[in-house]
Amino acid sequence: MKFFLDTANLDELKRGAAWGILDGVTTNPTLIAREGRPIEEQIRLICDIVDGDISAEVMALDAAAMVKEGRVLAAIHKNVVVKCPLTRDGIEATSILSKEGIRVNVTLCFSPAQALLAAKAGAHYISPFVGRLDDVGSDGMDLVRTIVAIYQNYGFGTQVLAASLRSPTHVVESALAGADVATMPLKVMEMLFEHPLTDKGLDQFLKDWAKVFNPAPKSR
Ligand code: E4P
C-alpha cells in the first residue's frame, strides 16, 4: 500500500519525507490556497521534496479548459498527476488527458457508479472521499470496499486512492479493503506511530539499562 500526504505545506512534507515511508502527495485547491503561492510554483516546490506522484487539481469547469490546464500542470514535472473532478466535463477531460499519456486522479468520488465512469475514462487514480461520506451519515469505507471489488471484477487498471481519511482506523480499514493508496493529513500519519505500550516499554528498557550501566551517583 502506498502512503500519500494530503497537504501542500512544505514543512509537513519535509517531516513526512524524512521517515522514508512517503510515496506521494495529494493537493486540492483548498490546500494550495492555504499556502498562498500560485499552484505551479507550489507544486514545483513539492516535487523538490517528495519523489513520488504529486496530484495537482485543475480549476476549470469545462472539459476543454480542464484539458488545457491539465497539460500545463503535467508539464511542471514528470511526477505530476492531474486531478479532475467527477463531473461530466471532468470525465471527458480525463479521457482526453489519459489518451495523451497524462495520468489523472479523478477526485470527489462519492459513489461506485462514479468510480466506474472514472475507470472507463482511463483514470490512473480514483479518489473516494471516506471522511466526507461519514460526515453525512454514510459508510465511507463501504465505498472503498465496493470500488475495489468492482475494479477487480473487470481488471481495471485504475488505482483506488482512499482519500479524506481522518484517523489511523481509516488507514487500516483502507488497507484491509485493498485500497492501493491511503492519503492522509500529517496529523493522521503521526498517529500511526503511537501506542502507549511502545512508550511504556521503551521507558522501562531505559530505566533497567541505567540501573546497571549508568547508576545515579550515590549521595554522601
Ligand atoms: C484528497 O485528494 C483530498 O484532498 C482530501 O483527502 C480531502 O480530505 P478532507 O475531506 O479531509 O478535506
Side-chain angles (χ1 to χ4, degrees):
M1 177 183 234
K2 287 183 274 188
F3 275 6
F4 287 4
L5 270 176
D6 195 29
T7 181
N9 181 274
L10 304 182
D11 290 334
E12 290 187 355
L13 290 168
K14 281 178 199 158
R15 182 159 171 76
W19 294 321
I21 55 160
L22 186 59
D23 302 298
V25 180
T26 48
T27 68
N28 63 38
T30 306
L31 297 171
I32 293 284
R34 205 174 278 167
E35 302 308 313
R37 285 192 194 91
I39 184 166
E40 287 89 347
E41 198 183 319
Q42 193 67 20
I43 294 292
R44 208 166 285 124
L45 292 169
I46 292 173
C47 289
D48 288 342
I49 297 170
V50 180
D51 184 18
D53 290 352
I54 315 293
S55 288
E57 189 158 343
V58 297
M59 288 300 299
L61 295 178
D62 72 279
M66 281 188 199
V67 169
K68 208 170 152 196
E69 228 183 289
R71 288 177 186 142
V72 171
L73 292 172
I76 295 173
H77 192 282
K78 65 177 174 43
N79 288 346
V80 170
V81 178
V82 175
K83 232 177 172 186
C84 291
L86 216 155
T87 58
R88 287 171 178 77
D89 286 272
I91 290 298
E92 187 180 334
T94 299
S95 302
I96 296 167
L97 291 167
S98 299
K99 284 191 185 88
E100 291 178 9
I102 292 174
R103 295 175 307 152
V104 178
N105 174 359
V106 175
T107 189
L108 291 169
C109 172
F110 294 97
S111 79
Q114 290 180 320
L116 259 172
L117 294 171
K120 288 189 63 64
H124 188 72
Y125 292 115
I126 181 69
S127 290
F129 275 37
V130 175
R132 291 195 195 186
L133 274 169
D134 289 355
D135 289 346
V136 296
S138 296
D139 182 350
M141 204 49 69
D142 196 49
L143 175 60
V144 176
R145 282 188 286 270
T146 305
I147 296 172
V148 169
I150 289 173
Y151 282 9
Q152 274 172 359
N153 281 349
Y154 294 96
F156 283 125
T158 304
Q159 295 183 41
V160 180
L161 192 163
S164 186
L165 303 182
R166 307 264 171 83
S167 67
T169 306
H170 271 162
V171 177
V172 172
E173 284 186 8
S174 299
L176 264 176
D180 301 280
V181 187
T183 190
M184 65 202 90
L186 180 68
K187 187 179 63 181
V188 172
M189 197 174 273
E190 296 263 16
M191 287 162 77
L192 296 179
F193 287 88
E194 302 301 331
H195 199 288
L197 290 179
T198 304
D199 297 339
K200 195 177 167 208
L202 186 57
D203 191 50
Q204 190 64 51
F205 287 156
L206 293 175
K207 280 182 183 145
D208 291 345
W209 181 271
K211 271 187 235 160
V212 175
F213 297 111
N214 190 19
K218 290 193 180 76
S219 53
R220 294 184 187 180

